[in-house]
mmCIF file of all heavy atoms in Angstrom:
data_model
loop_
_atom_site.group_PDB
_atom_site.id
_atom_site.type_symbol
_atom_site.label_atom_id
_atom_site.label_comp_id
_atom_site.label_asym_id
_atom_site.label_seq_id
_atom_site.Cartn_x
_atom_site.Cartn_y
_atom_site.Cartn_z
ATOM 1 N N LEU A 67 150.936 107.835 140.338
ATOM 2 C CA LEU A 67 151.801 108.987 140.599
ATOM 3 C C LEU A 67 151.350 109.759 141.839
ATOM 4 O O LEU A 67 152.158 110.148 142.663
ATOM 5 C CB LEU A 67 151.820 109.910 139.367
ATOM 6 C CG LEU A 67 152.663 111.171 139.475
ATOM 7 C CD1 LEU A 67 154.140 110.841 139.713
ATOM 8 C CD2 LEU A 67 152.532 112.013 138.205
ATOM 9 N N CYS A 68 150.066 110.008 141.939
ATOM 10 C CA CYS A 68 149.601 110.829 143.058
ATOM 11 C C CYS A 68 148.486 110.112 143.801
ATOM 12 O O CYS A 68 147.957 109.103 143.327
ATOM 13 C CB CYS A 68 149.197 112.219 142.567
ATOM 14 S SG CYS A 68 147.465 112.461 142.171
ATOM 15 N N PRO A 69 148.120 110.626 144.963
ATOM 16 C CA PRO A 69 147.126 109.911 145.777
ATOM 17 C C PRO A 69 145.745 109.778 145.154
ATOM 18 O O PRO A 69 144.924 109.012 145.648
ATOM 19 C CB PRO A 69 147.064 110.757 147.060
ATOM 20 C CG PRO A 69 148.372 111.458 147.121
ATOM 21 C CD PRO A 69 148.729 111.751 145.700
ATOM 22 N N ARG A 70 145.485 110.474 144.088
ATOM 23 C CA ARG A 70 144.186 110.310 143.440
ATOM 24 C C ARG A 70 144.048 108.907 142.851
ATOM 25 O O ARG A 70 142.963 108.348 142.786
ATOM 26 C CB ARG A 70 143.991 111.321 142.305
ATOM 27 C CG ARG A 70 144.210 112.744 142.662
ATOM 28 C CD ARG A 70 143.516 113.654 141.688
ATOM 29 N NE ARG A 70 142.137 113.816 142.091
ATOM 30 C CZ ARG A 70 141.741 114.731 142.968
ATOM 31 N NH1 ARG A 70 142.589 115.581 143.470
ATOM 32 N NH2 ARG A 70 140.481 114.805 143.332
ATOM 33 N N GLU A 71 145.170 108.386 142.346
ATOM 34 C CA GLU A 71 145.212 107.052 141.745
ATOM 35 C C GLU A 71 144.062 106.848 140.765
ATOM 36 O O GLU A 71 143.243 105.926 140.911
ATOM 37 C CB GLU A 71 145.270 105.994 142.850
ATOM 38 C CG GLU A 71 146.547 106.191 143.649
ATOM 39 C CD GLU A 71 146.801 105.170 144.737
ATOM 40 O OE1 GLU A 71 145.850 104.524 145.188
ATOM 41 O OE2 GLU A 71 147.965 105.044 145.138
ATOM 42 N N CYS A 72 144.017 107.703 139.787
ATOM 43 C CA CYS A 72 142.937 107.697 138.798
ATOM 44 C C CYS A 72 142.887 106.368 138.043
ATOM 45 O O CYS A 72 143.922 105.857 137.606
ATOM 46 C CB CYS A 72 143.142 108.823 137.781
ATOM 47 S SG CYS A 72 143.035 110.476 138.475
ATOM 48 N N MET A 73 141.698 105.845 137.907
ATOM 49 C CA MET A 73 141.458 104.708 137.010
ATOM 50 C C MET A 73 141.037 105.323 135.679
ATOM 51 O O MET A 73 140.023 106.015 135.604
ATOM 52 C CB MET A 73 140.328 103.838 137.545
ATOM 53 C CG MET A 73 140.512 103.395 138.976
ATOM 54 S SD MET A 73 141.718 102.094 139.133
ATOM 55 C CE MET A 73 140.750 100.710 138.597
ATOM 56 N N VAL A 74 141.820 105.065 134.662
ATOM 57 C CA VAL A 74 141.599 105.779 133.410
ATOM 58 C C VAL A 74 141.350 104.787 132.275
ATOM 59 O O VAL A 74 142.200 103.941 131.985
ATOM 60 C CB VAL A 74 142.813 106.677 133.079
ATOM 61 C CG1 VAL A 74 142.528 107.526 131.841
ATOM 62 C CG2 VAL A 74 143.166 107.568 134.260
ATOM 63 N N GLY A 75 140.200 104.917 131.653
ATOM 64 C CA GLY A 75 139.860 104.063 130.522
ATOM 65 C C GLY A 75 140.569 104.515 129.255
ATOM 66 O O GLY A 75 141.149 105.602 129.193
ATOM 67 N N ASP A 76 140.510 103.660 128.245
ATOM 68 C CA ASP A 76 141.131 103.983 126.964
ATOM 69 C C ASP A 76 140.581 105.305 126.433
ATOM 70 O O ASP A 76 139.382 105.554 126.488
ATOM 71 C CB ASP A 76 140.835 102.842 125.979
ATOM 72 C CG ASP A 76 141.541 103.028 124.658
ATOM 73 O OD1 ASP A 76 142.570 103.738 124.617
ATOM 74 O OD2 ASP A 76 141.071 102.457 123.658
ATOM 75 N N ARG A 77 141.474 106.158 125.938
ATOM 76 C CA ARG A 77 141.166 107.459 125.351
ATOM 77 C C ARG A 77 140.752 108.497 126.390
ATOM 78 O O ARG A 77 140.313 109.601 126.033
ATOM 79 C CB ARG A 77 140.068 107.351 124.284
ATOM 80 C CG ARG A 77 140.390 106.411 123.142
ATOM 81 C CD ARG A 77 139.205 106.227 122.227
ATOM 82 N NE ARG A 77 138.861 107.476 121.595
ATOM 83 C CZ ARG A 77 139.092 107.764 120.316
ATOM 84 N NH1 ARG A 77 139.685 106.873 119.547
ATOM 85 N NH2 ARG A 77 138.751 108.913 119.821
ATOM 86 N N GLU A 78 140.887 108.172 127.643
ATOM 87 C CA GLU A 78 140.500 109.108 128.690
ATOM 88 C C GLU A 78 141.753 109.679 129.349
ATOM 89 O O GLU A 78 142.856 109.157 129.193
ATOM 90 C CB GLU A 78 139.653 108.394 129.743
ATOM 91 C CG GLU A 78 138.350 107.816 129.223
ATOM 92 C CD GLU A 78 137.237 108.838 129.189
ATOM 93 O OE1 GLU A 78 137.124 109.626 130.139
ATOM 94 O OE2 GLU A 78 136.488 108.856 128.197
ATOM 95 N N ARG A 79 141.545 110.746 130.123
ATOM 96 C CA ARG A 79 142.652 111.362 130.852
ATOM 97 C C ARG A 79 142.399 111.297 132.353
ATOM 98 O O ARG A 79 141.253 111.185 132.794
ATOM 99 C CB ARG A 79 142.811 112.827 130.449
ATOM 100 C CG ARG A 79 143.259 112.981 129.023
ATOM 101 C CD ARG A 79 143.636 114.407 128.718
ATOM 102 N NE ARG A 79 143.770 114.564 127.276
ATOM 103 C CZ ARG A 79 144.030 115.701 126.682
ATOM 104 N NH1 ARG A 79 144.190 116.806 127.403
ATOM 105 N NH2 ARG A 79 144.126 115.773 125.375
ATOM 106 N N GLY A 80 143.467 111.441 133.086
ATOM 107 C CA GLY A 80 143.348 111.514 134.525
ATOM 108 C C GLY A 80 142.868 112.884 134.969
ATOM 109 O O GLY A 80 142.668 113.793 134.154
ATOM 110 N N TYR A 81 142.729 113.030 136.255
ATOM 111 C CA TYR A 81 142.249 114.284 136.847
ATOM 112 C C TYR A 81 143.107 115.469 136.434
ATOM 113 O O TYR A 81 142.612 116.580 136.243
ATOM 114 C CB TYR A 81 142.269 114.116 138.370
ATOM 115 C CG TYR A 81 141.808 115.310 139.159
ATOM 116 C CD1 TYR A 81 140.480 115.426 139.567
ATOM 117 C CD2 TYR A 81 142.696 116.312 139.530
ATOM 118 C CE1 TYR A 81 140.057 116.520 140.305
ATOM 119 C CE2 TYR A 81 142.278 117.403 140.266
ATOM 120 C CZ TYR A 81 140.960 117.502 140.652
ATOM 121 O OH TYR A 81 140.547 118.586 141.381
ATOM 122 N N CYS A 82 144.400 115.224 136.297
ATOM 123 C CA CYS A 82 145.324 116.315 135.972
ATOM 124 C C CYS A 82 145.091 116.881 134.577
ATOM 125 O O CYS A 82 145.474 118.016 134.295
ATOM 126 C CB CYS A 82 146.768 115.849 136.103
ATOM 127 S SG CYS A 82 147.168 114.458 135.022
ATOM 128 N N GLY A 83 144.504 116.103 133.704
ATOM 129 C CA GLY A 83 144.199 116.575 132.357
ATOM 130 C C GLY A 83 145.359 116.510 131.386
ATOM 131 O O GLY A 83 145.202 116.848 130.215
ATOM 132 N N CYS A 84 146.523 116.073 131.853
ATOM 133 C CA CYS A 84 147.682 116.092 130.956
ATOM 134 C C CYS A 84 148.344 114.720 130.848
ATOM 135 O O CYS A 84 149.473 114.618 130.384
ATOM 136 C CB CYS A 84 148.674 117.157 131.380
ATOM 137 S SG CYS A 84 149.243 117.018 133.046
ATOM 138 N N ARG A 85 147.648 113.687 131.267
ATOM 139 C CA ARG A 85 148.129 112.312 131.099
ATOM 140 C C ARG A 85 146.971 111.524 130.517
ATOM 141 O O ARG A 85 145.850 111.579 131.031
ATOM 142 C CB ARG A 85 148.597 111.733 132.443
ATOM 143 C CG ARG A 85 149.621 112.623 133.135
ATOM 144 C CD ARG A 85 149.844 112.231 134.584
ATOM 145 N NE ARG A 85 150.862 111.226 134.736
ATOM 146 C CZ ARG A 85 152.168 111.468 134.688
ATOM 147 N NH1 ARG A 85 152.615 112.687 134.489
ATOM 148 N NH2 ARG A 85 153.033 110.501 134.856
ATOM 149 N N GLU A 86 147.252 110.800 129.449
ATOM 150 C CA GLU A 86 146.169 110.184 128.694
ATOM 151 C C GLU A 86 146.444 108.707 128.439
ATOM 152 O O GLU A 86 147.564 108.328 128.090
ATOM 153 C CB GLU A 86 145.997 110.925 127.366
ATOM 154 C CG GLU A 86 144.808 110.450 126.537
ATOM 155 C CD GLU A 86 144.567 111.333 125.330
ATOM 156 O OE1 GLU A 86 143.971 112.410 125.501
ATOM 157 O OE2 GLU A 86 145.005 110.964 124.218
ATOM 158 N N ASN A 87 145.399 107.919 128.585
ATOM 159 C CA ASN A 87 145.445 106.497 128.243
ATOM 160 C C ASN A 87 145.193 106.355 126.743
ATOM 161 O O ASN A 87 144.129 106.736 126.249
ATOM 162 C CB ASN A 87 144.378 105.748 129.054
ATOM 163 C CG ASN A 87 144.343 104.249 128.752
ATOM 164 O OD1 ASN A 87 144.936 103.776 127.795
ATOM 165 N ND2 ASN A 87 143.625 103.514 129.587
ATOM 166 N N GLN A 88 146.180 105.843 126.048
ATOM 167 C CA GLN A 88 146.003 105.612 124.614
ATOM 168 C C GLN A 88 146.210 104.123 124.344
ATOM 169 O O GLN A 88 147.334 103.628 124.413
ATOM 170 C CB GLN A 88 146.994 106.463 123.806
ATOM 171 C CG GLN A 88 146.754 107.966 123.962
ATOM 172 C CD GLN A 88 147.799 108.802 123.263
ATOM 173 O OE1 GLN A 88 148.624 108.310 122.517
ATOM 174 N NE2 GLN A 88 147.767 110.111 123.532
ATOM 175 N N ASN A 89 145.107 103.451 124.165
ATOM 176 C CA ASN A 89 145.135 102.027 123.839
ATOM 177 C C ASN A 89 145.804 101.193 124.935
ATOM 178 O O ASN A 89 146.526 100.242 124.656
ATOM 179 C CB ASN A 89 145.850 101.823 122.490
ATOM 180 C CG ASN A 89 145.386 100.562 121.800
ATOM 181 O OD1 ASN A 89 144.284 100.078 122.046
ATOM 182 N ND2 ASN A 89 146.234 100.006 120.957
ATOM 183 N N GLY A 90 145.591 101.608 126.167
ATOM 184 C CA GLY A 90 146.099 100.830 127.293
ATOM 185 C C GLY A 90 147.480 101.233 127.780
ATOM 186 O O GLY A 90 148.001 100.638 128.720
ATOM 187 N N THR A 91 148.077 102.213 127.134
ATOM 188 C CA THR A 91 149.362 102.746 127.599
ATOM 189 C C THR A 91 149.144 104.190 128.037
ATOM 190 O O THR A 91 148.437 104.946 127.367
ATOM 191 C CB THR A 91 150.424 102.680 126.476
ATOM 192 O OG1 THR A 91 150.579 101.311 126.084
ATOM 193 C CG2 THR A 91 151.764 103.215 126.949
ATOM 194 N N TYR A 92 149.754 104.541 129.160
ATOM 195 C CA TYR A 92 149.527 105.884 129.717
ATOM 196 C C TYR A 92 150.657 106.810 129.270
ATOM 197 O O TYR A 92 151.838 106.455 129.383
ATOM 198 C CB TYR A 92 149.500 105.783 131.236
ATOM 199 C CG TYR A 92 148.651 106.829 131.928
ATOM 200 C CD1 TYR A 92 147.471 107.305 131.359
ATOM 201 C CD2 TYR A 92 149.018 107.322 133.180
ATOM 202 C CE1 TYR A 92 146.688 108.233 132.020
ATOM 203 C CE2 TYR A 92 148.228 108.254 133.846
ATOM 204 C CZ TYR A 92 147.064 108.702 133.255
ATOM 205 O OH TYR A 92 146.290 109.627 133.909
ATOM 206 N N TYR A 93 150.302 107.962 128.771
ATOM 207 C CA TYR A 93 151.281 108.910 128.242
ATOM 208 C C TYR A 93 151.167 110.254 128.946
ATOM 209 O O TYR A 93 150.071 110.701 129.295
ATOM 210 C CB TYR A 93 151.059 109.142 126.745
ATOM 211 C CG TYR A 93 151.351 107.927 125.900
ATOM 212 C CD1 TYR A 93 150.325 107.065 125.522
ATOM 213 C CD2 TYR A 93 152.646 107.630 125.476
ATOM 214 C CE1 TYR A 93 150.587 105.939 124.752
ATOM 215 C CE2 TYR A 93 152.915 106.513 124.705
ATOM 216 C CZ TYR A 93 151.885 105.669 124.349
ATOM 217 O OH TYR A 93 152.143 104.559 123.592
ATOM 218 N N THR A 94 152.324 110.898 129.121
ATOM 219 C CA THR A 94 152.298 112.307 129.489
ATOM 220 C C THR A 94 152.212 113.104 128.195
ATOM 221 O O THR A 94 152.930 112.820 127.231
ATOM 222 C CB THR A 94 153.519 112.724 130.313
ATOM 223 O OG1 THR A 94 153.562 114.163 130.350
ATOM 224 C CG2 THR A 94 154.830 112.203 129.738
ATOM 225 N N LEU A 95 151.359 114.093 128.194
ATOM 226 C CA LEU A 95 151.160 114.907 126.984
ATOM 227 C C LEU A 95 151.964 116.203 127.037
ATOM 228 O O LEU A 95 151.870 117.016 126.116
ATOM 229 C CB LEU A 95 149.667 115.243 126.836
ATOM 230 C CG LEU A 95 148.702 114.055 126.806
ATOM 231 C CD1 LEU A 95 147.254 114.552 126.725
ATOM 232 C CD2 LEU A 95 149.007 113.135 125.644
ATOM 233 N N VAL A 96 152.711 116.397 128.130
ATOM 234 C CA VAL A 96 153.349 117.706 128.318
ATOM 235 C C VAL A 96 154.874 117.644 128.396
ATOM 236 O O VAL A 96 155.509 118.666 128.650
ATOM 237 C CB VAL A 96 152.793 118.416 129.574
ATOM 238 C CG1 VAL A 96 151.332 118.791 129.375
ATOM 239 C CG2 VAL A 96 152.960 117.563 130.828
ATOM 240 N N HIS A 97 155.443 116.475 128.177
ATOM 241 C CA HIS A 97 156.905 116.389 128.247
ATOM 242 C C HIS A 97 157.514 117.275 127.167
ATOM 243 O O HIS A 97 157.209 117.135 125.976
ATOM 244 C CB HIS A 97 157.356 114.947 128.057
ATOM 245 C CG HIS A 97 158.796 114.706 128.410
ATOM 246 N ND1 HIS A 97 159.842 115.257 127.714
ATOM 247 C CD2 HIS A 97 159.359 113.982 129.403
ATOM 248 C CE1 HIS A 97 160.989 114.873 128.244
ATOM 249 N NE2 HIS A 97 160.724 114.090 129.292
ATOM 250 N N SER A 98 158.345 118.209 127.592
ATOM 251 C CA SER A 98 159.042 119.135 126.678
ATOM 252 C C SER A 98 158.132 120.201 126.080
ATOM 253 O O SER A 98 158.521 120.878 125.132
ATOM 254 C CB SER A 98 159.754 118.392 125.544
ATOM 255 O OG SER A 98 160.705 117.506 126.073
ATOM 256 N N TYR A 99 156.936 120.343 126.608
ATOM 257 C CA TYR A 99 156.029 121.379 126.103
ATOM 258 C C TYR A 99 155.555 122.310 127.225
ATOM 259 O O TYR A 99 154.391 122.276 127.625
ATOM 260 C CB TYR A 99 154.822 120.752 125.407
ATOM 261 C CG TYR A 99 155.148 120.212 124.039
ATOM 262 C CD1 TYR A 99 155.439 118.868 123.853
ATOM 263 C CD2 TYR A 99 155.188 121.061 122.940
ATOM 264 C CE1 TYR A 99 155.756 118.377 122.594
ATOM 265 C CE2 TYR A 99 155.504 120.577 121.680
ATOM 266 C CZ TYR A 99 155.782 119.235 121.512
ATOM 267 O OH TYR A 99 156.097 118.761 120.266
ATOM 268 N N PRO A 100 156.443 123.160 127.729
ATOM 269 C CA PRO A 100 155.987 124.110 128.751
ATOM 270 C C PRO A 100 155.104 125.184 128.129
ATOM 271 O O PRO A 100 155.195 125.462 126.927
ATOM 272 C CB PRO A 100 157.295 124.709 129.274
ATOM 273 C CG PRO A 100 158.241 124.604 128.126
ATOM 274 C CD PRO A 100 157.863 123.326 127.414
ATOM 275 N N CYS A 101 154.262 125.761 128.950
ATOM 276 C CA CYS A 101 153.448 126.886 128.489
ATOM 277 C C CYS A 101 153.950 128.197 129.090
ATOM 278 O O CYS A 101 153.509 129.267 128.674
ATOM 279 C CB CYS A 101 151.978 126.665 128.840
ATOM 280 S SG CYS A 101 151.645 126.459 130.582
ATOM 281 N N SER A 102 154.825 128.103 130.058
ATOM 282 C CA SER A 102 155.403 129.303 130.662
ATOM 283 C C SER A 102 156.889 129.106 130.890
ATOM 284 O O SER A 102 157.318 128.008 131.269
ATOM 285 C CB SER A 102 154.759 129.608 132.028
ATOM 286 O OG SER A 102 153.420 129.933 131.874
ATOM 287 N N ALA A 103 157.649 130.154 130.668
ATOM 288 C CA ALA A 103 159.090 130.115 130.946
ATOM 289 C C ALA A 103 159.536 131.528 131.306
ATOM 290 O O ALA A 103 159.309 132.469 130.531
ATOM 291 C CB ALA A 103 159.849 129.603 129.731
ATOM 292 N N HIS A 104 160.112 131.660 132.467
ATOM 293 C CA HIS A 104 160.533 132.975 132.970
ATOM 294 C C HIS A 104 161.844 132.828 133.727
ATOM 295 O O HIS A 104 162.189 131.744 134.171
ATOM 296 C CB HIS A 104 159.525 133.540 133.968
ATOM 297 C CG HIS A 104 158.175 133.763 133.413
ATOM 298 N ND1 HIS A 104 157.667 135.016 133.210
ATOM 299 C CD2 HIS A 104 157.214 132.894 133.037
ATOM 300 C CE1 HIS A 104 156.443 134.902 132.709
ATOM 301 N NE2 HIS A 104 156.159 133.624 132.605
ATOM 302 N N VAL A 105 162.487 133.968 133.915
ATOM 303 C CA VAL A 105 163.609 134.010 134.849
ATOM 304 C C VAL A 105 163.141 134.800 136.071
ATOM 305 O O VAL A 105 162.734 135.951 135.951
ATOM 306 C CB VAL A 105 164.840 134.674 134.207
ATOM 307 C CG1 VAL A 105 165.968 134.771 135.233
ATOM 308 C CG2 VAL A 105 165.292 133.889 132.989
ATOM 309 N N ASP A 106 163.142 134.170 137.201
ATOM 310 C CA ASP A 106 162.642 134.777 138.443
ATOM 311 C C ASP A 106 163.729 134.792 139.502
ATOM 312 O O ASP A 106 164.600 133.906 139.523
ATOM 313 C CB ASP A 106 161.497 133.928 139.025
ATOM 314 C CG ASP A 106 160.218 134.025 138.233
ATOM 315 O OD1 ASP A 106 160.025 135.020 137.515
ATOM 316 O OD2 ASP A 106 159.400 133.083 138.354
ATOM 317 N N PRO A 107 163.646 135.736 140.432
ATOM 318 C CA PRO A 107 164.487 135.608 141.622
ATOM 319 C C PRO A 107 164.048 134.398 142.441
ATOM 320 O O PRO A 107 162.843 134.106 142.526
ATOM 321 C CB PRO A 107 164.232 136.919 142.385
ATOM 322 C CG PRO A 107 162.992 137.478 141.817
ATOM 323 C CD PRO A 107 162.813 136.938 140.437
#
Side-chain angles (χ1 to χ4, degrees):
Chain A
L67 179 61
C68 94
R70 307 201 85 86
E71 298 183 338
C72 295
M73 307 284 282
V74 185
D76 185 24
R77 302 173 64 107
E78 298 276 319
R79 293 190 193 177
Y81 180 94
C82 59
C84 56
R85 307 167 88 78
E86 185 172 280
N87 180 348
Q88 296 175 9
N89 206 24
T91 301
Y92 209 35
Y93 293 96
T94 167
L95 304 177
V96 293
H97 193 294
S98 300
Y99 284 97
C101 59
S102 295
H104 299 250
V105 177
D106 288 337

